[in-house]
Amino acid sequence: MKRQLTHENTLKVKPLGIDTYREHIIFMRSDCNICLSEGFAALTRLVVRYGSKSIVATLNVVHSDLLQEHEAGLSDMALSRLEVTAGDFISVSHLKQIESLSDVRSKMYHHKISEEAYRRIVDDITKGLYSDIEIAAFIAGCAGDNLDDEEITWLTSAMVNSGATLSWKTQMVFDKHCIGGLPGNRTTPIVVAIVAAAGLTIPKTSSRAITSPAGTADTMETITNVNLELEKLKEVVSLEGGCLAWGGSVNLSPADDILIAVEKALDVDSAGQMIASVLSKKVAAGSTHVVIEIPYGESAKVRSREQAMKLERCFKAVGEAMHLNIKVLITDGSQPVGRGIGPALEAMDVLSVLENRKDAPTDLKEKSIMIAAAVLELSGTFEQGKGSKFARRILEGGKAYKKFKAICMAQGRFEVPAFARYNTDIKSEVGGRVTSIDNRKLARVAKLAGAPHDHSAGIYFNAPIGTKVKPGQVLYTIYAEAKGELQYTLDYVKSAGPIIKIT
Amino acid sequence: MKRQLTHENTLKVKPLGIDTYREHIIFMRSDCNICLSEGFAALTRLVVRYGSKSIVATLNVVHSDLLQEHEAGLSDMALSRLEVTAGDFISVSHLKQIESLSDVRSKMYHHKISEEAYRRIVDDITKGLYSDIEIAAFIAGCAGDNLDDEEITWLTSAMVNSGATLSWKTQMVFDKHCIGGLPGNRTTPIVVAIVAAAGLTIPKTSSRAITSPAGTADTMETITNVNLELEKLKEVVSLEGGCLAWGGSVNLSPADDILIAVEKALDVDSAGQMIASVLSKKVAAGSTHVVIEIPYGESAKVRSREQAMKLERCFKAVGEAMHLNIKVLITDGSQPVGRGIGPALEAMDVLSVLENRKDAPTDLKEKSIMIAAAVLELSGTFEQGKGSKFARRILEGGKAYKKFKAICMAQGRFEVPAFARYNTDIKSEVGGRVTSIDNRKLARVAKLAGAPHDHSAGIYFNAPIGTKVKPGQVLYTIYAEAKGELQYTLDYVKSAGPIIKIT
């Protein structure tokens, strides 16, 4: 009881309506006797409890009359995580030393750390015990070639164990994944539609954009609901054989989503973390057979064929350790796929392919067929080389589109996205032929325009490699939902140097 | 002008009295037309301008009536950096892409980066363009053996160039530094007093604690003023030949202080960063001859003699490249030096040695004499082996204490610190002899008790290795300024396992 008195300290909650995003903040008066008796200072991290729930929050000290005595403010996220409202009494105490941080330090020093260490770290991250800078340090410590296959496997299973796992009635459960880095490479919805139409089970959960202008979940969200509860997701799959949901909403590998938020802020996505991120989601989703696409190109995420093959080897090694049947496709990443870059614009490409429209981008169509074929062949029911013909028939016969709409309806709605309010054309100053494209700069243009945060923002791309262009011809159109973004994006385009090389 | 309209946006400042420590926060209404037109979201980083001043701040979105339309709140630090008050109009705009972050990313991937890259990174950090997670990523990227000598030299000179540099009339300017990791190793004030009394110039600037319970600046602050303006510092040195100031207050290598704040939060202090941190301060302070102490021991910052020699080699290589004359002393780091651990308690040890009191800790005295001797010999005016005798005479003759008081008075005050309000004895449960001490755990106990934040908090240590102890004998006393800290520290001591091994 004495311990209770000196250790736990209760304060009355006053919501301040401050949104600090993912990081929990607690606001306390500088003269509050808890601050004094416990000796808290700015940036101190505290444990905040309400009933059985508890979070770790960073202290912001208030010197004004924003708070009355015995009151504490909480950021929006902290309020909802604790499920408290005005007047509730929370208790505040010191954060005990987080043991797993010593594992993070030894990883920063490039030592190999144990399976238990990865479990400790991932558990603490999932519990919300890490501050963003501590997460950043862990991410940086795992960057480069700093994780060997065994460590990646340990990190993967730790991430799987950090959240829910799905199980399915069918023996074979399929999935596909593209490691990204290629703007507009939105094959997933088409592949899922073809594979599900072929009668296979493909419960696809996708992530939102990490460093790209759009993730599959962002794109699908412009067409249907992707935040599906676990039960809803299972219902959709048992109904249609496939789904196109956001992974985060079903709590698969939740640690991964926390890591991704910081990776995004740092604009990094390193091999070990990426493989663990991808495979942990697959294992948690109950997949048994996975096709992984690795596009490579000068300005893609993977720069060379050698690098791509190194990744392939690592994916297979870790996949085997996780009992996954993996096929890797190394593809051309020299330029964007399709025309749209950004959630809504990519969704339009997807729909045009599924509808078999004449103006549908053939590169996106052919690539989707190739991947779908790989999945069909991986199932063993189609021999090598036969998958492609079958996949094409399903797509061109309209079965895929029918299945896609059915999946969307099962997920709650089917709608065709619209263009953003503001747009401007980027025209070629010279004449000639497009010889190369800087995907990174192009992706940055789309991001500055607002993608993925603004769904209809991004780029509509008109100049694939080989295109003959006249001076004044439109190379691409930038779409934005706000004038400020558009103006700012144009400033970047002016200062960025050549994005599309014409000679 | 149009650009002005779409790009710059003015808001009226409303101070909210919120202290977010070092990180700048701007609070803006979610419905404010700037948020809408520019499409800002939570965690967006913005450039905030007032007149010629500008800072980068992280956006917190406000959903309540905390702010009226066209109002923006700023955290305390942001207010003072911009020198704005209620009613002033600030302008807010997008943060342009920070180019140097791509250098940080390639360092995270363990690539060697260029001299220019280090300059870019350090300049941007000094300008306050980096968020804490970006700084954390850079620190982690530099951890371990990730920097070669050349890179450390580049980082060092970039840090030197990031701030002010001092120059002195005398040709030889001396300095000493201990890389720390050893609780209570507070030789600096004694060494400076001896060296200055010997007539040499030693303008000592020290850092505050990084991961230890006290830095020399923290300790000296309990006796005198350490936040000296540049002019004041020069005045003290020309008057007394030496000073004992805090490095941060004279803006030497300011980037280092920003890095240190995050290193402290991460509780890391890696070789490359450490050497750059130490030597950049020395070069900026105008030093020509530097004695560096590297204590090693099982639980010291440096674990083995091999590691210490590796550091010595690196210190000398980088020092040579920076035109510094360096002597390294590798010392015993198996246990604390002196009795006090924590700012005020270490200050008491220092004073007892200077006053030649009978109860003064001999280990601290002898170590200080050894280091002072090395400095005297480095000056060339004393041949090898003769320095020690001379240093002892200065100390025991009272000249050092006289000089120390003179320096303190020149810095503004001389006072003897007091003990903290609360204390409790940690007694031995068994009898026997002390065979080993876990310095890290001991340091943590002092930190949990409140050191260095609470000046008089820490540990008074009674059980050096070899001490015979009876059951119930006091091993050390914990001092704290707040009951909560004391209780919490005791909980840790109970759960930490053996800190002092008795057999």
Side-chain angles (χ1 to χ4, degrees):
Chain A
M1 197 51 212
K2 182 173 171 306
R3 202 158 173 299
Q4 190 72 2
L5 280 172
T6 54
H7 232 194
E8 296 280 332
N9 305 280
T10 61
L11 288 167
K12 200 152 133 224
V13 171
K14 180 186 178 188
L16 296 173
I18 294 177
D19 176 7
T20 58
Y21 198 46
R22 219 179 46 72
E23 188 136 42
H24 303 141
I25 304 288
I26 180 166
F27 300 86
M28 284 163 62
R29 284 167 61 107
S30 55
D31 63 355
C32 112
N33 43 32
I34 295 174
C35 275
L36 300 174
S37 75
E38 294 281 338
F40 296 149
L43 280 197
T44 306
R45 306 198 72 230
L46 306 172
V47 178
V48 185
R49 287 197 181 75
Y50 180 70
S52 61
K53 295 191 192 58
S54 78
I55 59 168
V56 175
T58 299
L59 173 65
N60 279 190
V61 175
V62 173
H63 298 288
S64 66
D65 57 3
L66 215 59
L67 299 171
Q68 302 306 309
E69 267 190 72
H70 311 304
E71 278 186 341
L74 288 171
S75 58
D76 293 353
M77 177 73 84
L79 285 168
S80 64
R81 280 288 290 271
L82 284 174
E83 293 175 28
V84 289
T85 52
D88 289 338
F89 282 91
I90 52 172
S91 71
V92 178
S93 59
H94 267 291
L95 173 63
K96 302 235 162 188
Q97 196 196 355
I98 299 170
E99 295 303 335
S100 66
L101 284 175
S102 59
D103 301 316
V104 171
R105 277 187 288 275
S106 86
K107 195 67 233 173
M108 282 168 62
Y109 293 138
H110 306 176
H111 302 134
K112 178 168 184 168
I113 61 174
S114 70
E115 179 164 19
E116 290 61 39
Y118 281 103
R119 186 164 300 126
R120 276 192 294 269
I121 292 169
V122 170
D123 286 349
D124 287 346
I125 288 175
T126 311
K127 283 189 207 131
L129 298 186
Y130 276 35
S131 68
D132 283 350
I133 67 166
E134 289 159 345
I135 292 169
F138 176 59
I139 287 167
C142 295
D145 294 333
N146 211 5
L147 304 191
D148 64 25
D149 292 354
E150 202 170 30
E151 285 181 285
I152 299 172
T153 306
W154 292 337
L155 177 58
T156 306
S157 44
M159 283 161 94
V160 171
N161 297 329
S162 75
T165 53
L166 308 185
S167 55
W168 307 95
K169 292 172 198 65
T170 53
Q171 215 177 14
M172 288 193 286
V173 179
F174 298 85
D175 204 341
K176 64 82 63 180
H177 186 87
C178 174
I179 67 154
L182 200 56
N185 191 19
R186 204 52 58 211
T187 56
T188 299
I190 304 167
V191 172
V192 168
I194 295 173
V195 172
L200 300 179
T201 304
I202 183 162
K204 182 72 187 136
T205 62
S206 307
S207 63
R208 299 189 182 275
I210 300 177
T211 61
S212 72
T216 297
D218 303 307
T219 300
M220 284 308 300
E221 198 165 38
T222 66
I223 302 176
T224 186
N225 307 334
V226 297
N227 295 8
L228 306 185
E229 296 296 325
L230 192 45
E231 282 320 302
K232 179 69 178 173
L233 183 144
K234 286 184 162 175
E235 181 191 313
V236 172
V237 174
S238 63
L239 204 65
E240 301 296 342
C243 68
L244 285 153
W246 173 48
S249 63
V250 286
N251 196 40
L252 301 177
S253 186
D256 181 46
D257 301 318
I258 296 171
L259 290 170
I260 280 175
V262 176
E263 283 170 10
K264 186 174 178 174
L266 290 174
D267 199 5
V268 294
D269 190 12
S270 64
Q273 292 271 0
M274 180 184 67
I275 292 169
S277 166
V278 170
L279 296 188
S280 66
K281 288 267 197 267
K282 304 310 170 203
V283 173
S287 307
T288 58
H289 295 64
V290 184
V291 171
I292 289 165
E293 182 198 355
I294 304 179
Y296 74 92
E298 250 182 32
S299 58
K301 188 180 283 174
V302 174
R303 306 298 183 93
S304 68
R305 182 165 190 89
E306 294 57 46
Q307 220 188 324
M309 286 166 74
K310 202 170 143 199
L311 262 181
E312 170 176 24
R313 190 205 54 71
C314 193
F315 260 113
K316 285 186 161 167
V318 177
E320 196 169 320
M322 302 299 298
H323 312 297
L324 286 173
N325 191 333
I326 288 182
K327 175 163 180 58
V328 172
L329 299 173
I330 295 177
T331 62
D332 168 27
S334 60
Q335 62 179 325
V337 178
R339 306 233 176 82
I341 301 171
L345 293 155
E346 293 176 24
M348 294 175 192
D349 279 349
V350 166
L351 291 171
S352 67
V353 170
L354 286 166
E355 292 167 13
N356 292 295
R357 288 215 304 264
K358 283 197 183 46
D359 63 350
T362 31
D363 56 350
L364 179 61
K365 174 181 176 177
E366 292 309 319
K367 195 163 188 181
S368 303
I369 289 173
M370 175 189 71
I371 296 167
V375 175
L376 297 179
E377 287 165 7
L378 196 59
S379 74
T381 42
F382 302 85
E383 42 190 288
Q384 297 300 320
K386 292 277 164 60
S388 174
K389 190 150 167 272
F390 192 78
R392 183 179 303 278
R393 199 182 309 143
I394 294 174
L395 178 61
E396 293 180 345
K399 283 214 190 95
Y401 187 40
K402 193 155 159 292
K403 172 59 73 176
F404 180 80
K405 276 193 289 192
I407 290 171
C408 291
M409 290 313 294
Q411 293 188 189
R413 69 182 163 93
F414 172 77
E415 74 189 55
V416 178
F419 284 97
R421 181 148 162 235
Y422 304 95
N423 70 73
T424 183
D425 292 334
I426 302 300
K427 295 172 178 159
S428 175
E429 283 153 7
V430 298
R433 193 180 288 275
V434 176
T435 54
S436 79
I437 292 157
D438 189 322
N439 292 321
R440 285 156 189 272
K441 287 183 179 174
L442 207 56
R444 178 153 291 279
V445 170
K447 283 192 281 181
L448 293 177
H453 179 265
D454 302 337
H455 277 167
S456 63
I459 289 174
Y460 193 77
F461 184 71
N462 288 315
I465 289 171
T467 311
K468 271 190 194 157
V469 293
K470 299 185 193 65
Q473 182 174 327
V474 176
L475 298 173
Y476 57 93
T477 305
I478 302 170
Y479 289 88
E481 292 180 8
K483 270 213 180 78
E485 304 282 359
L486 196 59
Q487 179 56 52
Y488 182 60
T489 309
L490 283 171
D491 293 348
Y492 173 76
V493 171
K494 288 192 194 83
S495 67
I499 296 177
I500 297 175
K501 198 186 271 169
I502 296 163
T503 47
Chain B
M1 196 52 211
K2 180 169 172 309
R3 202 158 173 295
Q4 190 74 2
L5 281 172
T6 53
H7 235 196
E8 296 278 333
N9 306 281
T10 61
L11 288 167
K12 195 146 137 239
V13 173
K14 180 185 180 188
L16 297 173
I18 294 178
D19 176 7
T20 57
Y21 198 47
R22 220 178 46 71
E23 188 136 41
H24 303 140
I25 304 287
I26 181 166
F27 300 87
M28 285 164 62
R29 284 168 60 107
S30 53
D31 63 354
C32 113
N33 42 33
I34 295 173
C35 276
L36 299 175
S37 76
E38 295 280 338
F40 296 148
L43 281 198
T44 306
R45 306 199 71 232
L46 306 172
V47 177
V48 185
R49 287 196 182 74
Y50 179 70
S52 59
K53 296 190 192 58
S54 79
I55 58 167
V56 175
T58 299
L59 173 65
N60 279 189
V61 175
V62 174
H63 298 289
S64 65
D65 57 3
L66 215 59
L67 299 170
Q68 302 306 310
E69 263 189 75
H70 311 304
E71 279 185 341
L74 289 171
S75 59
D76 293 354
M77 177 73 85
L79 286 167
S80 63
R81 280 288 290 272
L82 284 173
E83 294 176 26
V84 290
T85 52
D88 290 338
F89 282 91
I90 52 172
S91 72
V92 178
S93 58
H94 267 293
L95 172 62
K96 302 233 163 191
Q97 199 197 353
I98 300 170
E99 295 303 335
S100 67
L101 284 175
S102 58
D103 301 315
V104 170
R105 276 188 289 274
S106 82
K107 194 66 235 172
M108 282 168 62
Y109 293 139
H110 306 176
H111 301 134
K112 179 169 184 168
I113 61 175
S114 70
E115 181 164 19
E116 291 61 38
Y118 282 102
R119 188 164 299 126
R120 277 192 294 269
I121 292 169
V122 170
D123 287 350
D124 287 345
I125 288 174
T126 311
K127 284 189 207 133
L129 298 186
Y130 276 35
S131 69
D132 283 349
I133 67 166
E134 289 159 344
I135 292 169
F138 176 59
I139 288 167
C142 296
D145 295 335
N146 212 2
L147 304 190
D148 63 25
D149 293 354
E150 201 171 29
E151 284 181 287
I152 298 172
T153 306
W154 292 337
L155 177 59
T156 306
S157 41
M159 283 160 101
V160 171
N161 297 329
S162 75
T165 52
L166 308 184
S167 54
W168 307 95
K169 292 174 198 65
T170 52
Q171 215 179 11
M172 287 193 286
V173 178
F174 298 85
D175 205 340
K176 65 81 62 179
H177 186 87
C178 174
I179 67 155
L182 201 55
N185 191 19
R186 204 54 58 212
T187 57
T188 298
I190 304 167
V191 172
V192 168
I194 295 172
V195 172
L200 300 179
T201 303
I202 182 161
K204 183 77 187 121
T205 62
S206 308
S207 63
R208 300 189 181 277
I210 300 178
T211 61
S212 72
T216 297
D218 303 307
T219 300
M220 284 309 299
E221 197 164 41
T222 66
I223 302 176
T224 185
N225 308 334
V226 296
N227 295 7
L228 306 184
E229 296 295 326
L230 192 46
E231 282 319 303
K232 179 69 176 173
L233 183 144
K234 286 182 161 176
E235 183 191 314
V236 173
V237 174
S238 64
L239 205 64
E240 302 297 341
C243 68
L244 284 152
W246 172 49
S249 64
V250 286
N251 195 40
L252 301 176
S253 185
D256 181 46
D257 300 317
I258 296 172
L259 290 172
I260 280 175
V262 177
E263 283 170 10
K264 186 174 177 174
L266 291 174
D267 199 5
V268 295
D269 190 13
S270 64
Q273 291 273 0
M274 180 184 66
I275 292 169
S277 165
V278 171
L279 296 186
S280 66
K281 287 268 197 273
K282 303 310 170 203
V283 173
S287 307
T288 58
H289 296 64
V290 184
V291 171
I292 289 165
E293 182 198 353
I294 303 178
Y296 73 93
E298 249 182 35
S299 58
K301 189 182 282 175
V302 174
R303 306 298 183 95
S304 68
R305 183 165 189 91
E306 293 56 47
Q307 219 189 325
M309 287 165 74
K310 202 171 145 199
L311 263 181
E312 170 176 24
R313 190 206 55 70
C314 192
F315 261 114
K316 286 187 158 166
V318 176
E320 195 169 316
M322 302 299 298
H323 311 298
L324 286 173
N325 191 332
I326 289 182
K327 177 164 176 58
V328 173
L329 299 172
I330 295 178
T331 62
D332 167 27
S334 60
Q335 62 180 325
V337 178
R339 306 237 174 80
I341 300 171
L345 292 156
E346 293 176 25
M348 294 174 191
D349 279 349
V350 166
L351 291 170
S352 68
V353 169
L354 286 166
E355 292 167 13
N356 293 294
R357 287 215 304 264
K358 282 196 185 47
D359 62 351
T362 25
D363 54 350
L364 179 62
K365 174 182 176 176
E366 294 307 321
K367 195 164 191 182
S368 303
I369 289 173
M370 175 189 70
I371 295 166
V375 175
L376 297 179
E377 288 165 6
L378 196 59
S379 74
T381 43
F382 302 84
E383 35 185 298
Q384 297 301 320
K386 292 277 163 60
S388 172
K389 192 150 165 272
F390 193 78
R392 183 178 303 278
R393 199 183 310 142
I394 293 176
L395 178 61
E396 293 178 346
K399 283 214 191 96
Y401 188 40
K402 193 155 159 294
K403 173 56 75 176
F404 180 80
K405 274 191 290 194
I407 289 172
C408 291
M409 289 312 294
Q411 291 188 190
R413 67 182 165 94
F414 172 77
E415 75 188 53
V416 178
F419 285 96
R421 184 152 158 230
Y422 303 95
N423 70 72
T424 184
D425 292 333
I426 301 299
K427 296 172 177 157
S428 175
E429 284 154 8
V430 298
R433 193 181 287 275
V434 176
T435 52
S436 79
I437 292 156
D438 189 322
N439 292 318
R440 287 156 189 271
K441 286 184 179 173
L442 207 57
R444 177 155 294 278
V445 170
K447 284 193 282 180
L448 294 177
H453 178 265
D454 302 338
H455 276 166
S456 63
I459 288 174
Y460 193 77
F461 183 71
N462 289 314
I465 290 172
T467 311
K468 271 192 194 153
V469 293
K470 300 185 191 63
Q473 183 173 328
V474 176
L475 298 173
Y476 56 94
T477 306
I478 302 170
Y479 289 88
E481 293 180 8
K483 271 215 180 80
E485 304 283 0
L486 197 59
Q487 180 55 52
Y488 182 59
T489 309
L490 283 172
D491 293 347
Y492 174 75
V493 171
K494 288 193 194 82
S495 66
I499 296 177
I500 298 174
K501 198 188 270 169
I502 296 162
T503 47

